[in-house]
Amino acid sequence: VKRPFFLRECMRMLRSKDKREEVAVALQHAPAIIRGGSGDLSELAPALAVLLLHMRDDLAIANYHEKRLDILVALLVSATLPAVRCLAAQFYEEEYGLQQRFEMLVCLARAARELGGRDLDGEVPAKADAVETR
Protein backbone atom coordinates (compact mmCIF):
# COMPACT_ATOMS: atom_id res chain seq x y z
CA VAL A 1 0.00 0.00 0.00
CA LYS A 2 1.36 3.38 -1.01
CA ARG A 3 1.88 6.13 1.54
CA PRO A 4 -0.65 8.97 1.23
CA PHE A 5 0.67 12.47 0.57
CA PHE A 6 -2.57 14.44 0.66
CA LEU A 7 -5.26 14.82 3.28
CA ARG A 8 -8.10 13.84 0.95
CA GLU A 9 -6.20 10.66 0.10
CA CYS A 10 -5.83 9.91 3.83
CA MET A 11 -9.53 10.38 4.35
CA ARG A 12 -10.34 8.03 1.49
CA MET A 13 -8.03 5.40 2.95
CA LEU A 14 -9.54 5.79 6.43
CA ARG A 15 -12.98 5.10 4.95
CA SER A 16 -11.74 1.75 3.55
CA LYS A 17 -13.41 -0.32 6.24
CA ASP A 18 -12.43 -3.67 4.76
CA LYS A 19 -8.83 -2.82 3.76
CA ARG A 20 -6.72 -3.20 6.90
CA GLU A 21 -3.41 -2.14 5.34
CA GLU A 22 -4.86 1.05 3.83
CA VAL A 23 -6.38 2.11 7.15
CA ALA A 24 -3.15 1.31 9.03
CA VAL A 25 -1.00 3.32 6.59
CA ALA A 26 -3.41 6.27 6.73
CA LEU A 27 -3.44 6.21 10.55
CA GLN A 28 0.35 6.21 10.56
CA HIS A 29 0.89 9.10 8.13
CA ALA A 30 -2.11 11.38 8.75
CA PRO A 31 -0.62 13.37 11.68
CA ALA A 32 2.44 14.35 9.63
CA ILE A 33 0.30 15.32 6.64
CA ILE A 34 -1.95 17.44 8.86
CA ARG A 35 0.96 19.09 10.67
CA GLY A 36 2.63 19.72 7.30
CA GLY A 37 -0.02 22.31 6.52
CA SER A 38 -2.34 21.16 3.79
CA GLY A 39 -3.94 24.08 1.94
CA ASP A 40 -7.43 22.65 2.40
CA LEU A 41 -6.94 21.67 6.05
CA SER A 42 -9.43 24.17 7.49
CA GLU A 43 -12.05 23.04 5.00
CA LEU A 44 -11.49 19.32 5.63
CA ALA A 45 -10.87 19.40 9.41
CA PRO A 46 -14.52 19.07 10.49
CA ALA A 47 -15.23 16.18 8.12
CA LEU A 48 -12.06 14.37 9.17
CA ALA A 49 -12.83 14.90 12.85
CA VAL A 50 -16.32 13.41 12.45
CA LEU A 51 -14.90 10.52 10.42
CA LEU A 52 -12.37 9.76 13.18
CA LEU A 53 -15.00 10.00 15.91
CA HIS A 54 -17.16 7.41 14.13
CA MET A 55 -14.34 4.97 13.34
CA ARG A 56 -14.23 1.59 15.06
CA ASP A 57 -11.29 -0.76 15.42
CA ASP A 58 -12.87 -3.62 13.48
CA LEU A 59 -9.58 -4.49 11.76
CA ALA A 60 -7.44 -5.10 14.88
CA ILE A 61 -4.76 -2.53 13.99
CA ALA A 62 -1.92 -2.16 16.48
CA ASN A 63 -2.15 1.04 18.57
CA TYR A 64 -5.33 1.97 16.73
CA HIS A 65 -6.86 4.16 19.44
CA GLU A 66 -3.64 6.06 20.13
CA LYS A 67 -3.09 6.72 16.42
CA ARG A 68 -6.67 7.92 15.99
CA LEU A 69 -6.33 10.30 18.94
CA ASP A 70 -2.97 11.53 17.59
CA ILE A 71 -4.72 12.52 14.36
CA LEU A 72 -7.43 14.38 16.27
CA VAL A 73 -4.81 16.23 18.32
CA ALA A 74 -2.92 17.15 15.14
CA LEU A 75 -6.18 18.53 13.71
CA LEU A 76 -6.88 20.54 16.85
CA VAL A 77 -3.38 22.02 16.84
CA SER A 78 -3.10 22.67 13.11
CA ALA A 79 -6.68 23.77 12.30
CA THR A 80 -7.65 24.95 15.75
CA LEU A 81 -10.79 26.97 15.13
CA PRO A 82 -12.67 24.63 12.75
CA ALA A 83 -11.60 21.51 14.65
CA VAL A 84 -12.52 22.85 18.10
CA ARG A 85 -15.88 24.11 16.82
CA CYS A 86 -16.58 20.71 15.34
CA LEU A 87 -15.65 18.77 18.48
CA ALA A 88 -17.62 21.17 20.68
CA ALA A 89 -20.71 20.66 18.52
CA GLN A 90 -20.23 16.89 18.28
CA PHE A 91 -19.78 16.54 22.04
CA TYR A 92 -23.48 17.26 22.62
CA GLU A 93 -24.82 15.05 19.83
CA GLU A 94 -26.87 12.08 21.07
CA GLU A 95 -25.11 9.56 18.84
CA TYR A 96 -21.93 9.51 20.94
CA GLY A 97 -21.33 7.33 23.97
CA LEU A 98 -19.42 8.14 27.11
CA GLN A 99 -16.15 6.72 25.75
CA GLN A 100 -16.29 8.87 22.61
CA ARG A 101 -17.05 11.99 24.66
CA PHE A 102 -14.14 11.18 26.96
CA GLU A 103 -11.84 10.80 23.93
CA MET A 104 -12.95 14.23 22.68
CA LEU A 105 -12.04 15.78 26.03
CA VAL A 106 -8.69 13.98 26.12
CA CYS A 107 -7.85 15.29 22.64
CA LEU A 108 -8.86 18.84 23.56
CA ALA A 109 -6.67 18.67 26.68
CA ARG A 110 -3.68 17.25 24.80
CA ALA A 111 -4.02 19.89 22.08
CA ALA A 112 -4.29 22.66 24.67
CA ARG A 113 -1.11 21.44 26.34
CA GLU A 114 0.71 21.34 23.04
CA LEU A 115 -0.50 24.78 22.02
CA GLY A 116 0.48 26.08 25.46
CA GLY A 117 4.00 24.71 25.11
CA ARG A 118 3.61 22.02 27.75
CA ASP A 119 4.39 18.32 27.47
CA LEU A 120 1.92 15.58 28.44
CA ASP A 121 3.03 15.67 32.11
CA GLY A 122 2.22 19.38 32.31
CA GLU A 123 5.89 20.36 32.52
CA VAL A 124 7.16 23.40 30.66
CA PRO A 125 10.00 22.43 28.31
CA ALA A 126 13.38 24.02 29.03
CA LYS A 127 13.22 26.38 26.04
CA ALA A 128 9.87 27.77 27.26
CA ASP A 129 11.43 28.55 30.68
CA ALA A 130 13.80 31.00 29.03
CA VAL A 131 11.09 33.61 28.38
CA GLU A 132 12.41 37.05 29.20
CA THR A 133 10.38 39.03 31.71
CA ARG A 134 10.57 42.80 32.11
Side-chain angles (χ1 to χ4, degrees), residues 71-80 83-84 87 104 107-108 111 115:
I71 298 170
L72 281 167
V73 171
L75 272 176
L76 289 163
V77 169
S78 302
T80 305
V84 168
L87 257 63
M104 289 182 218
C107 289
L108 286 165
L115 288 168

Side-chain angles (χ1 to χ4, degrees), residues 17 47-58 64 68 90 93 95-96 100:
K17 297 181 185 205
L48 180 54
V50 171
L51 172 65
L52 291 163
L53 291 172
H54 286 272
M55 286 180 69
R56 303 266 187 261
D57 186 17
D58 297 333
Y64 169 83
R68 191 171 59 90
Q90 294 298 310
E93 292 293 324
E95 64 197 70
Y96 297 107
Q100 289 165 307

Side-chain angles (χ1 to χ4, degrees), residues 6 21 36 39 43-44 61 70 83 93-94 97 106-107 110 114:
F6 301 102
E21 291 301 317
E43 175 189 335
L44 296 176
I61 296 171
D70 287 344
E93 292 293 324
E94 292 181 11
V106 166
C107 289
R110 284 178 51 190
E114 186 174 331

Side-chain angles (χ1 to χ4, degrees), residues 7-16 19 22 51:
L7 193 53
R8 289 182 193 276
E9 190 177 4
C10 258
M11 291 175 69
R12 181 194 56 75
M13 292 171 78
L14 289 170
R15 288 186 186 106
S16 303
K19 297 179 181 176
E22 275 196 21
L51 172 65

